């Protein structure tokens, strides 16, 4: 049922995802008393809109660049993975930073058209450096810009300079904002630049188990993508390589982050959802598709409920 519903891009699918997201977000917010008063409601609405926008960006990136077939498996998997780690709903900096990285990924994926390449490189770099102001280690994503330059436009030396121009632009904007706010933003940013390899952050056993099961699923999707890249059309291989590198960089952000928690894995979810959608599409047995998606959904739902 679930596989047959999402095997085509239908407006109804977006209604389903939006409704389920709203239920999950409101349930978690009330359970943890996250937003109180009218100001809290305003902030909560902003966070929710950033989650919805991220979901639809994942869907747009996958379909616009032919990374998946004409289906909505990627957005469904993205939602399911959010259920694994509901602490994401309360981490505004990670939500905003990830949304900006998805804007960057959208521009980098469109480089294959070879049109307006310099503008796209600048835009992608700008979004990445801007995201680093909200979550510092997302700056690792700049590596994807240079990987994209290598894959498409490495011969023009000007393309290698554009990310540094974007860095200069964001730096100027940041220090102007910092000056207007008596130096507080700079102090906050510097406090986020530390590295930590402490993985003993779990608040309860369910966060620990959710991470273990998620890691197994991620490994399966990752290995499946690595093994099938060579069989994809030549003109698509570069796009899939960027998705793979995007996942690895997201994993790197999680590993390096200080104040580590499961919400840091949000940076991995978009590329992992696209890789998972490809695996599910390639399953020839429809019953197996249904079993896979139902299993993932109910596992995610279980961990969501247990972390309320």
């Amino acid at each position: 049922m679930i596989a047959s519903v999402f095997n085509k891009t239908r407006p109804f699918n977006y209604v389903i995802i939006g409704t389920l997201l709203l239920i999950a977000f409101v349930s978690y917010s009330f359970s943890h008393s996250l937003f109180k008063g009218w100001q809290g409601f305003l902030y909560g609405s902003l966070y929710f809109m950033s989650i919805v926008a991220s979901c639809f960006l994942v869907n747009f990136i996958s379909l616009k660049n032919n990374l998946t077939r004409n289906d909505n498996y990627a957005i469904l998997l993205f939602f399911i993975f959010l259920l694994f780690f509901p602490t994401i709903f309360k981490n505004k900096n990670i939500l905003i930073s990830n949304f900006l990285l998805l804007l960057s990924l959208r521009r980098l994926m469109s480089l294959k058209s070879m049109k307006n390449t310099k503008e796209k490189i600048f835009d992608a770099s700008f979004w990445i450096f801007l995201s680093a102001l909200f979550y510092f280690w997302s700056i690792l994503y700049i590596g994807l810009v240079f990987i994209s330059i290598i894959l498409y436009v490495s011969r023009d030396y000007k393309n290698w300079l554009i990310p540094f121009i974007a860095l200069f632009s964001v730096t100027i904007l940041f220090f102007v904002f910092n000056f207007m706010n008596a130096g507080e933003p700079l102090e906050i940013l510097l406090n986020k630049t530390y590295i930590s390899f402490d993985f003993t952050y779990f608040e309860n056993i369910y966060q620990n188990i959710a991470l273990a099961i998620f890691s197994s699923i991620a490994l399966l999707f990752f290995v499946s993508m690595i093994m099938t890249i060579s069989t994809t059309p030549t003109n698509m291989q570069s796009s899939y390589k960027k998705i793979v590198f995007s996942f690895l960089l997201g994993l790197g952000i999680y590993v390096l982050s200080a104040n580590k928690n499961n919400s840091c894995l949000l940076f991995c979810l978009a590329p992992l959802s696209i890789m998972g959608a490809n695996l599910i599409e390639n399953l020839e047995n429809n019953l197996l598709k249904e079993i896979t998606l139902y299993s993932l959904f109910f596992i995610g739902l279980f961990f969501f409920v247990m972390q309320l």
Side-chain angles (χ1 to χ4, degrees):
M1 178 67 175
I2 191 171
S4 59
V5 169
F6 285 88
N7 69 347
K8 298 290 183 183
T9 53
R10 302 180 178 94
F12 182 64
N13 293 347
Y14 304 129
V15 175
I16 293 175
I17 294 296
T19 302
L20 292 175
L21 265 176
L22 181 61
I23 294 172
F25 182 80
V26 171
S27 299
Y28 190 82
S29 299
F30 272 104
S31 175
H32 292 263
S33 302
L34 296 183
F35 310 109
K36 298 179 180 179
W38 69 268
Q39 192 173 21
F41 175 79
L42 185 63
Y43 282 120
S45 299
L46 177 63
Y47 300 166
F48 177 70
M49 291 306 298
S50 67
I51 297 170
V52 172
S54 296
C55 281
F56 285 95
L57 263 177
V58 172
N59 187 71
F60 176 85
I61 291 169
S62 64
L63 294 177
K64 182 70 173 179
N65 297 283
N66 298 315
L67 295 169
T68 58
R69 298 168 192 169
N70 190 30
D71 56 57
N72 291 132
Y73 290 145
I75 191 174
L76 174 63
L77 289 174
F78 187 79
F79 166 72
I80 290 173
F81 290 143
L82 288 175
L83 295 179
F84 274 73
F85 311 119
T87 52
I88 290 170
F89 292 145
K90 65 179 180 181
N91 199 320
K92 66 178 186 301
N93 287 335
I94 287 180
L95 285 172
I96 296 172
S97 180
N98 183 70
F99 173 69
L100 294 173
L101 290 185
L102 287 175
L103 290 176
S104 172
L105 182 60
R106 182 183 72 88
R107 295 298 275 171
L108 291 176
M109 296 306 299
S110 65
L111 271 176
K112 67 177 182 179
S113 68
M114 301 302 290
K115 296 179 181 178
N116 303 318
T117 55
K118 290 180 173 56
E119 290 86 345
K120 291 175 181 177
I121 292 172
F122 177 85
D123 290 347
S125 302
F126 184 86
W127 291 128
I128 291 170
F129 289 125
L130 194 61
S131 74
L133 300 182
F134 292 93
Y135 198 83
F136 177 76
W137 286 111
S138 63
I139 200 170
L140 291 180
Y141 238 75
I142 198 63
L144 192 62
V145 174
F146 290 108
I147 290 170
S148 299
I149 292 173
I150 292 172
L151 291 173
Y152 294 111
V153 288
S154 60
R155 294 183 179 180
D156 188 345
Y157 75 93
K158 295 179 182 178
N159 293 322
W160 295 93
L161 301 176
I162 293 174
F164 298 100
I165 298 173
L167 173 61
F168 180 75
S169 302
V170 173
T171 302
I172 293 298
L173 292 175
F174 173 73
F175 278 105
V176 169
F177 183 74
N178 181 70
F179 176 77
M180 294 172 62
N181 289 272
E184 291 184 11
L186 179 59
E187 183 179 352
I188 293 173
L189 180 64
L190 291 175
N191 289 333
K192 298 176 181 177
T193 60
Y194 296 105
I195 296 175
S196 172
F197 296 106
D198 181 11
F199 293 90
T200 60
Y201 57 81
F202 304 106
E203 298 174 4
N204 55 65
I205 187 71
Y206 297 106
Q207 291 184 0
N208 195 338
I209 299 174
L211 176 61
I213 294 179
F214 173 81
S215 299
S216 301
I217 295 169
L219 181 61
L220 173 63
F221 289 174
F222 177 76
V223 171
S224 173
M225 175 59 71
I226 293 297
M227 294 179 64
T228 57
I229 282 183
S230 60
T231 63
T232 59
T234 305
N235 64 329
M236 289 299 301
Q237 290 184 15
S238 295
S239 296
Y240 285 118
K241 287 177 182 177
K242 281 188 283 188
I243 293 300
V244 170
F245 282 118
S246 176
F247 170 74
L248 293 175
L249 290 170
L251 189 62
I253 295 171
Y254 165 74
V255 171
L256 294 178
S257 294
N259 301 318
K260 204 182 308 297
N261 56 73
N262 280 351
S263 60
C264 299
L265 289 164
L266 177 60
F267 299 107
C268 301
L269 300 192
L272 188 63
S273 299
I274 294 172
M275 290 191 287
N278 275 269
L279 174 61
I280 292 171
E281 288 171 350
N282 291 328
L283 296 176
E284 296 181 359
N285 190 313
N286 289 330
L287 179 60
L288 185 57
K289 288 183 181 181
E290 296 286 356
I291 293 174
T292 301
L293 288 173
Y294 270 111
S295 299
L296 289 173
F297 177 77
F298 283 112
I299 291 172
L301 183 61
F302 170 78
F303 285 119
F304 176 80
V305 172
M306 299 311 297
Q307 294 178 67
L308 284 178

